[in-house]
Amino acid sequence: MVTSGQCAAFCLSPQVCAGKVCANYLYLKANAQEAALIPEVEVYPVASLRDAVDFVNGIAPINRYTVDHHRLFDESREPVGDFSDVRGQQSVKRALEVAAAGSHNVLMIGPPGSGKTMLAKRLPGILPEFSLDEALETTRVHSVAGLLKSGQAIVANRPFRSPHHTVSDAGLIGGGMIPRPGEVSLAHHGVLFLDELPEFHKNVLEVLRQPLEDGVVTLSRAAVTLSYPAQFMLIAAMNPCPCGFATDPDRECKCTPEQIRRYVSKISGPLLDRIDLHVEVPRVSWNELSSPAERDDTIHIRRRVDLARRKQRDRFEKHRSDLYSNSQMSNKEIEQFAPIDAHSLELLRQVVENMGLSARAYHRIRKVARTIADLEGTDEIQLVHVTEAVQYRSLDRLGELVG
């Protein structure tokens, strides 16, 4: 549904439509292609206000402007880096495949040069194909922010946003004197990558908690309250210690355990709880670095991800129309759709008690186990799935990391 507020940026004869779709709009020619993507809206492009007046008065007729949505969408896609370019890191690739299959958030921990950024940039390529509806939603956000390039009518690739660690909370979440979307909304239906996570200001990281939980950002001002969508995958990366070499077998770490604890503690427990997978990224060995390209490329990984996502949609479609991935399940839905047997429950009991995990971390382990089972094509969550999910909690084992 398109409201007058959404069209005001382009409309030359704004009408008070009370939330209804206006039958006809006059648009500047430069925006005609973008505007024509909006369903149920007829677009008549004009070059000037004089053209608009002449058209309204019946002096100069203008042909309605239309576009082939699917053709334009296909032509606007841009290539994404392939996972076969990344040498080694099989365990990390596996973790990112699990994350993509269930739309889970990921934190990668490893020394400089281990490939964390390279892996993150390739993640959008293994996410499910961008649907036209998702592309239109994302395009609206980018249009409001004024980020569409000249002649660009649609965002056809899943966004990959990577703000610098000096970004403000308004830059990340949105806001300003004239409210505009922040990075979390610009990453809608895509990936928000935060490199060097502990270097971000603590107050900036804390404001991430609400959009991670709700998938929406609400900005309140004296005269207006605005909501922007913010359904994104958070992919974060960090060194294991201030110098970066705590887990590097070839470089000596000069940090004390206390320095490492202080460094890691810059990320709060509540934020870590909202990150489903904590993955250690080791330095790539020479043999791996000089080996031939991997056979398991982006296309093959995305096929497995698509099958797992389809299994989730089939499972949820009769329950909730807005539930499309395992990461969105509530605690009640986890009990319904991710039941585990007695052996798995006993393992989780030991893990929670020995590692001091929160209830939120416990439920996230079960969500990840559900996704791993979906990738395997099994309806029942088995002990091996739960065991793998538990392994994706590296920062919960802080003692091992600094020892």
Side-chain angles (χ1 to χ4, degrees):
M1 186 65 71
V2 181
T3 69
S4 59
Q6 291 171 308
C7 297
F10 310 120
C11 183
L12 295 181
S13 56
Q15 307 170 36
V16 179
C17 63
K20 299 179 180 178
V21 174
C22 298
N24 302 305
Y25 275 116
L26 299 173
Y27 289 83
L28 292 173
K29 284 185 177 180
N31 302 117
Q33 194 174 49
E34 180 185 349
L37 292 169
I38 303 173
E40 302 178 26
V41 172
E42 296 182 8
V43 176
Y44 297 88
V46 297
S48 65
L49 189 58
R50 169 54 61 190
D51 290 346
V53 173
D54 290 345
F55 172 72
V56 171
N57 292 331
I59 298 173
I62 300 174
N63 293 328
R64 180 185 175 186
Y65 187 92
T66 60
V67 296
D68 183 334
H69 294 61
H70 297 285
R71 180 186 60 78
L72 180 63
F73 184 63
D74 291 338
E75 292 177 350
S76 300
R77 284 197 181 100
E78 298 177 358
V80 179
D82 200 286
F83 261 81
S84 63
D85 299 334
V86 183
R87 302 295 191 267
Q89 305 295 14
Q90 294 305 314
S91 62
V92 186
K93 291 178 184 178
R94 165 65 177 179
L96 292 180
E97 180 178 338
V98 171
S103 191
H104 300 290
N105 303 317
V106 182
L107 172 60
M108 294 185 287
I109 310 126
S114 56
K116 301 186 293 293
T117 300
M118 188 177 186
L119 286 159
K121 287 182 176 180
R122 280 153 178 75
L123 182 63
I126 65 171
L127 294 176
E129 286 285 353
F130 214 8
S131 70
L132 183 59
D133 287 341
E134 287 177 325
L136 289 174
E137 284 185 13
T138 304
T139 301
R140 288 172 185 166
V141 177
H142 283 241
S143 177
V144 168
L147 294 182
L148 294 183
K149 301 174 185 176
S150 177
Q152 182 183 8
I154 192 170
V155 177
N157 286 66
R158 291 192 179 274
F160 180 86
R161 303 293 301 182
S162 180
H164 192 260
H165 61 76
T166 57
V167 68
S168 66
D169 52 358
L172 190 65
I173 299 299
M177 291 290 293
I178 301 176
R180 55 174 287 157
E183 292 291 340
V184 297
S185 295
L186 296 173
H188 183 54
H189 289 316
V191 172
L192 176 68
F193 178 51
L194 301 184
D195 199 5
E196 304 293 347
L197 188 64
E199 302 301 325
F200 284 78
H201 296 296
K202 193 159 189 175
N203 65 301
V204 172
L205 293 180
E206 290 308 299
V207 297
L208 269 177
R209 289 158 56 179
Q210 185 256 332
L212 281 173
E213 203 73 26
D214 302 333
V216 66
V217 171
T218 301
L219 304 175
S220 297
R221 295 294 180 270
V224 66
T225 297
L226 298 175
S227 292
Y228 292 121
Q231 292 181 349
F232 60 92
M233 281 182 62
L234 173 64
I235 308 299
M238 61 179 286
N239 295 331
C241 66
C243 78
F245 301 112
T247 59
D248 192 331
D250 301 322
R251 301 286 295 272
E252 181 184 358
C253 173
K254 298 181 179 180
C255 305
T256 66
E258 180 57 33
Q259 287 175 322
I260 297 177
R261 288 191 183 91
R262 192 161 54 244
Y263 175 77
V264 175
S265 67
K266 292 181 180 180
I267 309 167
S268 70
L271 178 59
L272 277 178
D273 279 350
R274 289 168 170 82
I275 300 178
D276 304 353
L277 289 82
H278 309 160
V279 185
E280 294 184 47
V281 185
R283 180 178 292 279
V284 181
S285 68
W286 167 251
N287 289 337
E288 292 174 320
L289 193 62
S290 59
S291 64
E294 301 288 346
R295 293 181 180 179
D296 208 11
D297 58 13
T298 287
I299 292 177
H300 289 92
I301 299 174
R302 187 171 62 229
R303 285 174 183 167
R304 297 195 293 266
V305 169
D306 283 338
L307 288 173
R309 286 286 188 107
R310 193 173 305 129
K311 195 173 182 67
Q312 292 165 53
R313 287 195 300 270
D314 292 343
R315 180 187 301 126
F316 299 141
E317 64 179 355
K318 295 181 181 179
H319 178 69
R320 263 177 57 191
S321 60
D322 62 334
L323 191 61
Y324 64 87
S325 69
N326 289 330
S327 67
Q328 295 178 301
M329 289 190 294
S330 65
N331 293 350
K332 182 178 180 180
E333 288 158 348
I334 291 172
E335 296 300 325
Q336 180 178 354
F337 298 117
I340 55 177
D341 59 27
H343 294 294
S344 299
L345 192 61
E346 173 59 21
L347 170 65
L348 284 182
R349 182 192 67 78
Q350 296 177 23
V351 168
V352 169
E353 291 181 353
N354 293 337
M355 296 171 60
L357 299 186
S358 67
R360 182 179 282 112
Y362 160 74
H363 286 113
R364 289 188 180 273
I365 290 174
R366 289 186 59 175
K367 290 180 184 181
V368 172
R370 174 71 274 171
T371 298
I372 295 170
D374 289 339
L375 278 169
E376 300 250 333
T378 62
D379 292 327
E380 295 182 359
I381 299 175
Q382 301 169 6
L383 181 61
V384 65
H385 304 142
V386 176
T387 302
E388 181 179 353
V390 168
Q391 292 175 350
Y392 296 132
R393 303 297 305 183
S394 294
L395 281 189
D396 294 324
R397 304 193 305 272
L398 181 59
E400 295 179 21
L401 189 64
V402 303

